[in-house]
């Protein structure tokens, strides 16, 4: 009992438990602790006798290098999350979006070049009439090889079988577009000798796709 | 320089972490200096291997560095850092359990790890400190984690009941009952050793 009182006295005097005088419930807790512990004094002595280990020299070296790495990582992260970067972020984003928009506009303005080098051979013996399509703006435009993506007026020139293959511009439209089919159906019987016919179709670009 | 060091030694843990939160790295060094051995012993008794214990302590200090702003002065710093170490030690034990399961399945029957030690033999060596420690450590290792934790924190690290309760996140009553049961279990396991100690 004296031993218990001594230990309690010791605890009272330590800085850590200086506020115990003001807290009776805490004092009771401490008393309970001591009585509980006393029941297992032998076991506690045995556990207290266990050797205490110290960290190796290597421990500090490894820890320092780990902390240094962590510092570098934080610095890197700090650059990305700094207020300076956050404030500039909308400017960067705006510039990127403007560049993208300008790119898209320029891309739309450049006309699509028709590939005149393509050889549409192999249809010479076909009974299918050769068709040539070009914009019907004026006479000069008829020589044009450029096919614009948006065209409202088209000239479809149908060459007779004897004239087939004479021009590079002639190619076949393999489409099921109703308008074209309608047009082909209206072609007179090729057994009758017909001159090259020129028909101007006035349709919107949405009607003909190729 | 030494005056600054002396001043640091007198500062409380809570003030140190506050200084560290404000960017003072010497405060961090002082915390490491104060706690590294305490935590090593705690982790060693928990995982039973000194290398793994060092890894646990290193990871604890690294977490402290990373999450320094998470600490609020409402709790004692010691309980906070012990909680981190304790969680890491438990994770280490779980990992080891998984590793053990894998290694046993990979092993052949000719390999020596299947040999079971004869606990009755070599009674003379019981007197030797190393063996005594080994027996105690083995008995601690055999306890369920919640009993193991309470015994280490109270009887080896000598923390108060309140601190143990805070670290384990259980009420004071639970600490008392759990500690009582843990001690009874350990007492049974170490009965022979305790009798020998009494005789010796």
């Amino acid at each position: 009992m004296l031993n218990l009182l001594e230990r309690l006295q010791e605890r009272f005097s330590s800085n850590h438990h200086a506020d115990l005088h003001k807290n009776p419930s805490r004092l009771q807790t401490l008393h309970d602790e001591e009585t509980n512990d006393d029941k297992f004094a032998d076991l506690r002595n045995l556990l207290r006798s266990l050797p205490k280990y110290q960290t190796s020299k290597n421990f500090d070296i490894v820890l320092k290098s780990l902390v240094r790495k962590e510092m570098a990582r934080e610095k890197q992260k700090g650059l990305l999350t700094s207020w300076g970067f956050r404030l500039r972020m909308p400017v960067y984003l705006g510039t990127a979006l403007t560049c993208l928009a300008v790119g898209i506009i320029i891309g739309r303005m450049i006309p699509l070049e028709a590939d005149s080098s393509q050889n549409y051979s192999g249809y010479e013996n076909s009974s299918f009439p050769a068709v040539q399509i070009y914009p019907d703006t004026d006479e000069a435009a008829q020589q044009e090889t450029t096919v614009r993506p948006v065209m409202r007026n088209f000239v479809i020139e149908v060459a007779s079988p004897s004239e087939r293959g004479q021009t590079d511009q002639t190619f076949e439209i393999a489409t099921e577009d109703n308008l074209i089919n309608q047009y082909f159906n209206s072609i007179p019987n090729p057994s009758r000798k017909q001159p090259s016919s020129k028909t101007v179709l006035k349709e919107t670009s949405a009607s003909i796709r190729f | 320089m030494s005056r600054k060091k002396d001043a640091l030694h007198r500062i409380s843990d809570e003030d140190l972490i506050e200084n560290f939160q404000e960017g003072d790295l010497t405060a961090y060094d002082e915390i490491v200096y104060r706690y590294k051995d305490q935590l090593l012993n705690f982790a060693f008794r928990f995982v039973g291997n000194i290398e793994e214990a060092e890894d646990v302590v290193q990871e604890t200090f690294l977490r402290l560095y990373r999450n320094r702003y998470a600490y609020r002065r409402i709790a004692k710093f010691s309980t906070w850092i012990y909680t981190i170490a304790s969680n890491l030690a438990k994770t280490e034990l779980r990992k080891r359990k998984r590793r053990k399961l894998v290694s046993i399945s990979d092993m052949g029957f000719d390999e020596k790890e299947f040999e079971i030690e004869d606990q009755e033999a070599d009674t003379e060596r019981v007197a030797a400190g190393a063996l005594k420690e080994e027996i105690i450590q083995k008995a601690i290792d055999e306890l369920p984690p919640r009993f193991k934790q309470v015994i280490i924190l109270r009887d080896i690290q000598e923390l108060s009941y309140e601190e143990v309760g805070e670290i384990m996140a259980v009420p004071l009553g639970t600490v008392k009952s759990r500690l009582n049961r843990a001690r009874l279990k350990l007492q049974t396991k170490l009965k022979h050793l305790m009798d020998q100690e009494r005789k010796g």
Side-chain angles (χ1 to χ4, degrees):
Chain A
M1 193 63 191
L2 187 69
N3 190 24
L4 173 66
L5 282 172
E6 272 173 11
R7 269 183 282 163
L8 280 173
Q9 189 66 38
E10 198 182 296
R11 281 194 159 194
F12 270 126
S13 59
S14 72
N15 283 339
H16 181 63
H17 295 284
D19 59 339
L20 278 176
H21 297 284
K22 301 167 200 165
N23 196 343
S25 69
R26 206 155 170 214
L27 183 63
Q28 183 60 45
T29 309
L30 268 182
H31 182 265
D32 290 348
E33 280 180 28
E34 295 295 340
T35 33
N36 281 342
D37 293 347
D38 277 353
K39 283 187 230 164
F40 296 93
D42 286 349
L43 178 72
R44 295 195 78 215
N45 286 335
L46 197 67
L47 292 172
R48 272 198 207 124
S49 72
L50 283 169
K52 301 278 182 236
Y53 292 97
Q54 287 190 332
T55 51
S56 64
K57 278 180 186 169
N58 199 34
F59 175 88
D60 290 323
I61 298 164
V62 175
L63 183 64
K64 263 182 192 159
S65 82
L66 286 172
V67 168
R68 228 173 278 138
K69 267 185 201 168
E70 193 58 35
M71 281 163 89
R73 202 182 64 87
E74 275 188 4
K75 214 173 182 181
Q76 186 95 27
K77 203 177 153 193
L79 281 176
L80 291 174
T81 54
S82 66
W83 276 108
F85 183 80
R86 283 183 196 174
L87 289 173
R88 284 195 299 270
M89 192 67 180
V91 181
Y92 295 150
L93 209 69
T95 313
L97 284 172
T98 312
C99 287
L100 192 72
V102 168
I104 291 168
I105 291 165
I106 291 172
R108 288 207 162 211
M109 281 165 73
I110 296 170
L112 255 166
E113 291 291 324
D115 189 0
S116 58
S117 66
Q118 276 204 50
N119 183 18
Y120 299 96
S121 59
Y123 294 91
E124 284 82 7
N125 300 323
S126 164
S127 59
F128 201 69
V131 180
Q132 191 180 17
I133 299 178
Y134 47 82
D136 181 38
T137 48
D138 53 44
E139 199 60 25
Q142 287 190 8
Q143 307 302 318
E144 219 176 79
T145 55
T146 307
V147 177
R148 294 183 189 282
V150 179
M151 289 186 290
R152 292 196 175 274
N153 302 327
F154 297 93
V155 170
I156 298 181
E157 187 180 292
V158 182
S160 67
S162 59
E163 288 173 304
R164 199 182 289 153
Q166 281 178 0
T167 166
D168 287 340
Q169 305 284 319
T170 306
F171 59 91
E172 190 176 300
I173 297 175
T175 171
E176 286 183 9
D177 188 281
N178 287 339
L179 191 72
I180 300 290
N181 284 338
Q182 204 181 341
Y183 169 72
F184 287 142
N185 290 338
S186 70
I187 295 171
N189 191 348
S191 59
R192 258 192 305 167
K193 188 77 180 168
Q194 287 272 330
S196 309
S197 61
K198 233 181 198 182
T199 309
V200 177
L201 290 177
K202 293 199 174 198
E203 280 296 337
T204 60
S205 59
S207 307
I208 301 174
R209 294 183 194 280
F210 51 88
Chain B
M1 189 68 188
S2 67
R3 201 181 294 167
K4 198 187 174 188
K5 266 192 176 175
D6 285 346
L8 272 176
H9 287 322
R10 281 194 298 271
I11 293 178
S12 73
D13 294 345
E14 288 73 22
D15 287 336
L16 273 177
I17 183 78
E18 212 162 74
N19 289 354
F20 176 45
Q21 284 171 339
E22 284 161 14
D24 182 5
L25 276 174
T26 53
Y28 177 73
D29 289 342
E30 178 64 20
I31 293 169
V32 172
Y33 173 77
R34 280 186 196 182
Y35 280 93
K36 63 179 182 179
D37 292 339
Q38 277 190 54
L39 291 179
L40 178 78
N41 283 292
F42 166 72
F44 173 61
R45 294 299 162 208
F46 215 102
V47 295
N49 176 301
I50 203 83
E51 282 85 23
E52 282 176 16
E54 279 204 348
D55 288 346
V56 166
V57 181
Q58 266 164 4
E59 187 57 33
T60 306
F61 286 125
L62 205 61
R63 296 253 172 128
L64 164 70
Y65 187 91
R66 265 185 219 146
N67 306 310
R68 57 192 176 274
Y69 300 112
Y71 173 76
R72 297 277 173 274
R73 228 185 158 126
I74 43 170
K76 269 185 80 178
F77 175 75
S78 60
T79 56
W80 190 62
I81 200 160
Y82 265 103
T83 310
I84 300 172
S86 173
N87 289 338
L88 287 169
K90 277 186 206 164
T91 313
E92 186 59 39
L93 276 185
R94 273 200 295 270
K95 271 191 212 164
R96 196 198 289 171
K97 228 177 190 178
R98 277 202 295 271
R99 279 202 295 269
K100 249 186 188 173
L101 281 174
V102 172
S103 73
I104 284 170
S105 62
D106 289 346
M107 234 185 277
F109 284 100
D110 298 335
E111 283 170 87
K112 286 196 168 179
E113 275 194 49
F114 278 108
E115 277 179 14
I116 296 157
E117 279 178 45
D118 183 3
Q119 293 188 350
E120 298 294 314
D122 210 2
T123 41
E124 289 103 4
R125 280 179 65 214
V126 173
L131 189 62
K132 189 177 97 180
E133 189 196 348
E134 205 177 295
I135 292 167
I136 297 170
Q137 184 60 48
K138 199 164 179 278
I140 294 170
D141 284 344
E142 283 168 1
L143 290 173
R146 62 184 197 284
F147 290 152
K148 189 196 254 190
Q149 192 180 11
V150 78
I151 280 277
I152 297 170
L153 289 171
R154 175 62 194 163
D155 290 340
I156 300 177
Q157 298 299 114
E158 300 188 48
L159 299 180
S160 73
Y161 278 49
E162 285 161 317
E163 283 171 319
V164 175
E166 272 178 50
I167 294 165
M168 294 179 70
V170 291
L172 208 61
T174 313
V175 174
K176 282 180 195 169
S177 63
R178 207 173 273 184
L179 188 62
N180 205 48
R181 285 164 69 195
R183 280 168 172 171
L184 284 170
K185 273 181 188 277
L186 202 59
Q187 208 171 36
T188 320
K189 283 178 196 288
L190 298 174
K191 198 173 179 304
H192 293 293
L193 194 66
M194 281 160 70
D195 289 344
Q196 272 182 359
E197 285 280 303
R198 242 176 261 135
K199 280 177 204 164

